[in-house]
C-alpha cells in the first residue's frame, strides 16, 4: 500500500516488462554498446593494419626499383680529375645526344665530356691521331666510381701515356650530363656513345690536336661495357667504331641485377616481387637489353676482360659474351686457365675479314 492506502502490487504486476525490469534493460543495452564499440575498434585496427601492410609491401617492392630506375646519379663533385694524375687539364665539352622517351623533342640531350688530347712529350708510339672514348659504369661518372677509382685511373692515364687522345663522357642521368629517366642499362645510353663518336668525327680537324676520324675506339666498364656493345651493334652499317675494349660487361640487364641480389643473399621470393615492380614501373622491357644478341650482330673487333671473383657482374656473363664473340671470328687471345694465379680472363676476337 502507498501512503494513500492504495494497494499497488497488482498495478506493478500489470506494468510492461520493459518498465518493470528497467535495470535489466539498461545492463543489456550497455553490453550491446560495449560489443558494438569492440567490433568498431577491431575494424579500425584491421583497417590500419591493412593500410600499414600495404605501405610496407609497396615500400619494399617499389622503392628499390624506383632507386635503380629513377634515382639520378648526379654526384656533387668529381673525386678524381685528370690533372690529379699528372695529365693535362681536360677541356670541358658538351656532346649533343638525343632523348629517347620523347622522340618529338628537338632540344639535344647534353652529355658532359672531358677531352684530353695528346701532347708531344707525354706519350709515345704511333697512336697520336687515334682516339678512345671512355664509358663509365652504372652509378659512376668520368671522375668518380663506387670503388674509389674512376675511368681516369683505369683507362685514361694508361691510354694517354700510350699516345692516344681520350674523350671521357658522363652517360645520361650520371655526372654532369642531362637527365632523361629512367636508367636503361645501355638501351638508351648507347646513343650517348654514338653521339660521342659523331662529335669526334665532326670536330676531327678543329680539335687540339686534330685527330683521324677513322681511328676511333671505345673502352667501357660494367654497364659502360654493355652500353658500348649495344653502340657497336647500332654502328654496324657505318662502322665508325673501329675497336672496343670491354671490362666486365653483363650479358643481359636482368641477369646482372638477379646475380647482384643473389650475392647479397636476397631470397628468391623477393627477387620475383622485385621484378614484378621493375616491370610495372619501367616504360620498357628489360629483356630487350640483350647484350649477347648485340655481340653476334656487330663486326667490330672486341677485347673482353672479366675478373673471376667479380661480385657485381657474374664471370659467367663474360664467358658467355666471349663465346658469342668467337662465332665466325678469329680469336687472337684466349683466357688463362682457371688455375692461373690471375683473376682476369681476356678474350680478343676480330672478324674473319679484318677491317
Amino acid at each position: 500500500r502507498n501512503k494513500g492506502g492504495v494497494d499497488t502490487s497488482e498495478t506493478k504486476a500489470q506494468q510492461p516488462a520493459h518498465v518493470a525490469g528497467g535495470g535489466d534493460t539498461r545492463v543489456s543495452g550497455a553490453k550491446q554498446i560495449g560489443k558494438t564499440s569492440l567490433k568498431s575498434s577491431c575494424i579500425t585496427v584491421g583497417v590500419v593494419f591493412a593500410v600499414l601492410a600495404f605501405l610496407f609491401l609497396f615500400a619494399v617492392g617499389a622503392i628499390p626499383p624506383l632507386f635503380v630506375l629513377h634515382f639520378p646519379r648526379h654526384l656533387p663533385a668529381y673525386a678524381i680529375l685528370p690533372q690529379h694524375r699528372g695529365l693535362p687539364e681536360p677541356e670541358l665539352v658538351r656532346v649533343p645526344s638525343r632523348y629517347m622517351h620523347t622522340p618529338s623533342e628537338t632540344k639535344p640531350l647534353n652529355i658532359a665530356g672531358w677531352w684530353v688530347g695528346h701532347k708531344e712529350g707525354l706519350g709515345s708510339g704511333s697512336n697520336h691521331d687515334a682516339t678512345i672514348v671512355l664509358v663509365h659504369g652504372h652509378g659512376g661518372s668520368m671522375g668518380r666510381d663506387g670503388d674509389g677509382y674512376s675511368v681516369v685511373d683505369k683507362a685514361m692515364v694508361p691510354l694517354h701515356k700510350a699516345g692516344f687522345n681520350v674523350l671521357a663522357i658522363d652517360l645520361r642521368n650520371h655526372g654532369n650530363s642531362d637527365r632523361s629517366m629512367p636508367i636503361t642499362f645501355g638501351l638508351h645510353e648507347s646513343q650517348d656513345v654514338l653521339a660521342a663518336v659523331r662529335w669526334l668525327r665532326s670536330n676531327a680537324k678543329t680539335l687540339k690536336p686534330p685527330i683521324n676520324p677513322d681511328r676511333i675506339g671505345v673502352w667501357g666498364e660494367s654497364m659502360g661495357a654493355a652500353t658500348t656493345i649495344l653502340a657497336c651493334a647500332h654502328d654496324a652499317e657505318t662502322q665508325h667504331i673501329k675497336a672496343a675494349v670491354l671490362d666486365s660487361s653483363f650479358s643481359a640487364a636482368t641477369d646482372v641485377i638477379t646475380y647482384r641480389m643473389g650475392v647479397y643473399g636476397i631470397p628468391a621470393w623477393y627477387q620475383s616481387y622485385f621484378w614484378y615492380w621493375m616491370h610495372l614501373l619501367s616504360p620498357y622491357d628489360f629483356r630487350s637489353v640483350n647484350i649477347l644478341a648485340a655481340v653476334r650482330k656487330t663486326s667490330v673487333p672486341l677485347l673482353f676482360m672479366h675478373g673471376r671473383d667479380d661480385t657485381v657482374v657474374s664471370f659467367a656473363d663474360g664467358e658467355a659474351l666471349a663465346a658469342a664473340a668467337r662465332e665466325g671470328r678469329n680469336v687472337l687471345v684466349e683466357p688463362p686457365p682457371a688455375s692461373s694465379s690471375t683473376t682476369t680472363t681476356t678474350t680478343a676476337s676480330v672478324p674473319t675479314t679484318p677491317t
Side-chain angles (χ1 to χ4, degrees), residues 334-355:
E334 283 287 4
S339 59
S340 173
S341 59
T342 180
T343 60
T344 301
T345 182
T346 304
T347 300
S349 60
V350 297
T352 52
T353 303
T355 58

Side-chain angles (χ1 to χ4, degrees), residues 312-325:
V312 178
V313 181
S314 172
F315 179 74
D317 282 25
E319 289 184 307
L321 289 168

Side-chain angles (χ1 to χ4, degrees), residues 55-83:
L55 292 175
F56 174 77
L57 291 174
F58 174 80
V60 299
I63 290 180
L66 282 172
F67 179 81
V68 171
L69 292 170
H70 295 278
F71 186 78
R73 271 64 180 176
H74 291 105
L75 301 172
Y78 296 121
I80 302 171
L81 300 175
Q83 55 267 40

Side-chain angles (χ1 to χ4, degrees), residues 11-247:
T11 306
K12 286 185 176 182
Q14 295 174 352
Q15 288 179 344
H18 72 275
V19 177
D24 292 339
T25 303
R26 286 191 294 271
V27 172
S28 176
K31 289 182 178 179
Q32 186 64 34
I33 292 173
K35 290 180 180 179
T36 303
S37 178
L38 179 61
K39 183 178 180 181
S40 178
S41 298
C42 289
I43 292 174
T44 302
V45 171
V47 170
V48 171
F49 179 80
V51 170
L52 291 176
F54 171 79
L55 292 175
F56 174 77
L57 291 174
F58 174 80
V60 299
I63 290 180
L66 282 172
F67 179 81
V68 171
L69 292 170
H70 295 278
F71 186 78
R73 271 64 180 176
H74 291 105
L75 301 172
Y78 296 121
I80 302 171
L81 300 175
Q83 55 267 40
H84 294 165
R85 299 296 187 259
L87 299 183
E89 184 173 345
E91 178 185 349
L92 305 179
V93 301
R94 286 285 179 179
V95 175
S97 187
R98 63 192 184 98
Y99 290 89
M100 299 299 294
H101 304 301
T102 53
S104 60
E105 178 63 68
T106 57
K107 182 180 70 173
L109 187 150
N110 289 313
I111 299 300
W114 285 339
W115 167 253
V116 183
H118 177 269
K119 292 185 178 180
E120 291 185 10
L122 294 178
S124 60
S126 60
N127 303 319
H128 302 309
D129 66 343
T131 304
I132 311 297
V133 179
L134 307 183
V135 190
H136 62 81
H138 180 271
S141 70
M142 54 190 175
R144 182 187 292 270
D145 199 354
D147 58 8
Y149 297 93
S150 77
V151 298
V152 174
D153 294 300
K154 298 174 182 178
M156 182 179 285
V157 170
L159 287 171
H160 193 272
K161 287 184 176 180
F164 290 96
N165 303 295
V166 180
L167 174 65
I169 62 171
D170 283 338
L171 295 173
R172 63 185 63 199
N173 304 311
H174 291 74
N176 284 324
S177 291
D178 286 350
R179 176 172 176 166
S180 178
M181 288 299 178
I183 295 171
T184 63
F185 288 84
L187 188 64
H188 295 167
E189 290 82 359
S190 59
Q191 296 299 319
D192 304 337
V193 176
L194 294 174
V197 173
R198 287 195 301 269
W199 183 87
L200 286 169
R201 290 178 59 83
S202 298
N203 296 278
K205 294 182 179 180
T206 58
L207 287 169
K208 297 179 180 180
I211 67 168
N212 185 340
D214 294 321
R215 298 190 70 194
I216 298 174
V218 184
W219 176 96
E221 63 168 338
S222 194
M223 188 185 87
T227 299
T228 298
I229 294 173
L230 291 170
C232 290
H234 292 314
D235 191 48
E237 293 184 5
T238 58
Q239 296 185 350
H240 291 156
I241 299 174
K242 298 306 179 182
V245 178
L246 310 160
D247 185 351

